[in-house]
């Protein structure tokens, strides 16, 4: 327990309003979808609220069937949880014993480390490549008899980068049988380039891997908490033994099912994000920053100055971003892409500060 650093979330809007006596605060720090929940999800969630006194369906059949249809897998190959965070922790809790090694690159999503430590496992971290991409060669070189799980965050948080399709395929193929690869694809819905492969594609090709996804980012339900894993029945069996029966609440499940049907909403969000990404990249480059090409709804930006200082200057003016100092990048910030108005506000505030 002593080794586990508590998770530090991005500052809340309420806390910043109070601290700096501001009426308006913009948070571009947690990679949320700024359009709010889809209209169809809102309607479905309002309906579900009326049954709030009834326990939800423990096996979340409606959502698993919907996802199974969408990804052409069996419903038994889908496991839902209270956010991807919960799913990550369940996978690690069910597979890791004392002394087992869990491999991943750093910096990345912090849950792989904390859940491993909690189980008495050994987190083994290797740096990202110079292009801040998950280093599959380095991971492969670190595999030992004790390695049990390898997490590949693809695209990676906080860098927004994605591994090349052929390299990932080869990696999954070459990993020894005693190791299971877990792909954390929290941002995969934003990726539409040619050269990438998803965990679900690889699963269809017969590789026994685990893919973890979420409704928090692209599908705009971060406050509701729904995530899921797709894997073989055999892989999910031990995980399901320890999954709390009512991990997904009724309102969240209704919202998730309805969002999957709201193509108009998700396409609008996708376009907004693409336009915002181009705009912010162009404007921040003009300000002298270096923006790492991103496959997600956030940007990893080299601001060429103290990231904490810039974070503080933005905070005072009511804009919250994420300094990457804690990840070992003292001159980088992670900025979530917002609506046109929000992106304009960010750029104007940066201009004022600089
Ligand atoms: C946001 C995020 C998660 C967690 O998502 P929740 O479903 O909100 O718990 C997991 N992995 C990565 C890489 C993330 O960025």
């Amino acid at each position: 327990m002593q080794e586990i650093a508590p998770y530090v979330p991005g500052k809340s809007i309420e806390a910043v309003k109070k601290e700096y006596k501001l009426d308006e605060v913009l948070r571009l720090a947690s990679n949320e979808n700024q359009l709010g929940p889809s209209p169809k999800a809102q309607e479905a969630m309002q309906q579900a609220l009326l049954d709030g006194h009834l326990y939800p369906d423990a096996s979340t059949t409606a959502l698993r069937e919907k996802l199974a249809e969408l990804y052409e897998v069996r419903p038994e190959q889908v496991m839902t949880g209270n956010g991807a965070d919960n799913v990550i922790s369940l996978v690690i809790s069910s597979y890791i014993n004392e002394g087992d090694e869990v491999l991943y690159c750093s910096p990345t999503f912090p849950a792989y480390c904390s859940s491993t430590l909690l189980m008495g496992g050994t987190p083994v971290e290797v740096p990202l490549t110079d292009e801040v991409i998950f280093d599959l060669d380095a991971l492969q070189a670190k595999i030992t008899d004790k390695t049990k799980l390898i997490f590949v965050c693809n695209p990676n948080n906080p860098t927004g980068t994605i591994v090349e399709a052929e390299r990932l395929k080869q990696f999954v193929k070459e990993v020894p049988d005693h190791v299971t690869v877990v792909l954390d694809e929290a941002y995969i819905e934003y990726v539409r380039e040619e050269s990438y492969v998803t965990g679900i594609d690889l699963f269809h090709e017969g590789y026994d891997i685990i893919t973890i996804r979420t409704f928090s980012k692209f599908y705009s339900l971060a406050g509701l908490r729904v995530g899921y894993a797709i894997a073989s029945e055999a892989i999910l069996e031990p995980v399901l033994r320890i999954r709390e029966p009512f991990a997904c609440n009724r309102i969240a499940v209704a919202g998730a099912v309805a969002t999957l049907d709201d193509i108009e909403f998700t396409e609008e969000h996708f376009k907004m994000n693409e336009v915002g990404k181009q705009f912010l990249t162009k404007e921040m480059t003009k300000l002298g920053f270096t923006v790492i090409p991103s496959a997600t709804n956030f940007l990893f930006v080299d601001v060429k100055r103290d990231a904490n200082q810039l974070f503080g200057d933005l905070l005072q003016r009511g804009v919250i971003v994420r300094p990457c100092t804690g990840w070992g990048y003292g001159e980088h910030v992670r900025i979530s892409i917002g609506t046109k108005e929000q992106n304009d506000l960010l750029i104007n505030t940066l201009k004022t500060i600089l």
Side-chain angles (χ1 to χ4, degrees):
M1 287 298 296
Q2 297 303 330
E3 285 180 52
I4 301 172
Y7 181 76
V8 184
K11 278 194 176 260
S12 78
I13 291 175
E14 293 76 14
V16 174
K17 275 187 184 169
K18 213 169 152 193
E19 196 174 332
Y20 296 91
K21 303 194 170 50
L22 295 163
D23 295 329
E24 290 293 329
V25 168
L26 166 61
R27 179 162 79 165
L28 298 176
S30 300
N31 306 340
E32 292 145 337
N33 175 340
Q34 301 284 349
L35 288 181
S38 99
K40 284 189 180 165
Q42 291 187 32
E43 210 181 297
M45 291 192 289
Q46 276 164 3
Q47 272 303 314
L49 204 52
L50 303 177
D51 288 327
H53 59 300
L54 301 174
Y55 274 100
D57 169 20
S59 52
T60 60
T61 313
L63 179 56
R64 287 190 306 113
E65 283 180 350
K66 189 103 198 158
L67 289 165
E69 191 188 317
L70 184 61
Y71 295 116
E72 298 177 335
V73 297
R74 289 189 287 275
E76 295 75 24
Q77 295 170 330
V78 184
M79 186 198 80
T80 57
N82 189 34
D85 239 321
N86 174 225
V87 176
I88 292 165
S89 125
L90 288 171
V91 166
I92 292 176
S93 301
S94 50
Y95 279 97
I96 298 305
N97 293 312
E98 218 162 297
D100 288 342
E101 293 175 354
V102 177
L103 272 175
Y104 51 87
C105 285
S106 172
T108 191
F109 196 63
Y112 320 143
C113 179
S114 51
S115 292
T116 301
L117 288 172
L118 186 62
M119 297 311 293
T122 308
V124 179
E125 300 183 352
V126 300
L128 300 172
T129 67
D130 292 342
E131 291 81 39
V132 294
I133 300 172
F134 246 67
D135 192 340
L136 300 182
D137 294 328
L139 286 173
Q140 226 164 349
K142 285 280 183 189
I143 295 173
T144 69
D145 291 347
K146 290 184 175 167
T147 310
K148 203 83 167 271
L149 298 174
I150 305 180
F151 277 85
V152 179
C153 188
N154 199 43
N156 187 40
N157 180 5
T159 56
T161 53
I162 187 155
V163 294
E164 197 267 322
E166 285 309 312
R167 184 64 192 92
L168 183 59
K169 257 189 214 182
Q170 187 201 2
F171 175 79
V172 166
K173 194 168 162 183
E174 287 172 4
V175 159
D177 286 346
H178 70 281
V179 179
T180 302
V181 175
V182 188
L183 285 169
D184 179 344
E185 297 187 335
Y187 301 93
I188 202 76
E189 296 87 359
Y190 291 102
V191 186
R192 303 222 176 144
E193 284 113 58
E194 279 296 307
S195 176
Y196 80 101
V197 68
T198 70
I200 298 172
D201 295 337
L202 294 167
F203 179 63
H204 283 305
E205 286 181 31
Y207 298 107
D208 214 3
I209 61 171
I210 305 174
T211 302
I212 297 178
R213 296 191 178 186
T214 177
F215 281 87
S216 293
K217 312 289 165 49
F218 186 78
Y219 291 113
S220 208
L221 295 175
L224 275 298
R225 317 300 305 130
V226 196
Y228 59 98
I230 292 187
S232 67
E233 287 89 338
I235 290 239
L236 291 180
E237 195 268 340
V239 191
L240 283 165
R241 289 194 203 196
I242 58 164
R243 175 188 183 272
E244 53 271 52
F246 304 109
C248 290
N249 73 73
R250 181 178 280 289
I251 298 161
V253 169
V257 169
T259 303
L260 289 174
D261 279 332
D262 202 340
I263 307 294
E264 200 182 319
F265 171 82
T266 49
E267 281 308 296
E268 181 192 345
H269 172 56
F270 180 79
K271 286 191 195 115
M272 175 192 93
N273 190 63
E274 287 297 296
V275 171
K277 195 186 292 183
Q278 282 178 21
F279 171 76
L280 289 178
T281 302
K282 193 177 95 210
E283 292 299 318
M284 289 199 279
T285 306
K286 277 198 228 160
L287 294 175
F289 299 169
T290 299
V291 182
I292 310 300
S294 168
T296 64
N297 66 341
F298 61 85
L299 297 169
F300 185 61
V301 186
D302 180 353
V303 294
K304 319 266 169 89
R305 53 179 52 67
D306 185 65
N308 271 336
Q309 173 77 42
L310 184 65
F311 164 70
D313 290 344
L314 282 166
L315 201 58
Q316 273 185 13
R317 292 165 176 84
V319 181
I320 319 174
V321 298
R322 198 70 173 263
C324 296
T325 315
W327 275 300
Y329 286 84
E331 297 199 339
H332 283 69
V333 293
R334 193 191 68 189
I335 300 175
S336 312
I337 298 164
T339 62
K340 178 164 188 331
E341 293 72 29
Q342 294 172 333
N343 297 336
D344 282 339
L345 180 65
L346 168 72
I347 295 298
N348 289 334
T349 312
L350 278 172
K351 282 180 181 165
T352 311
I353 293 168
L354 299 176

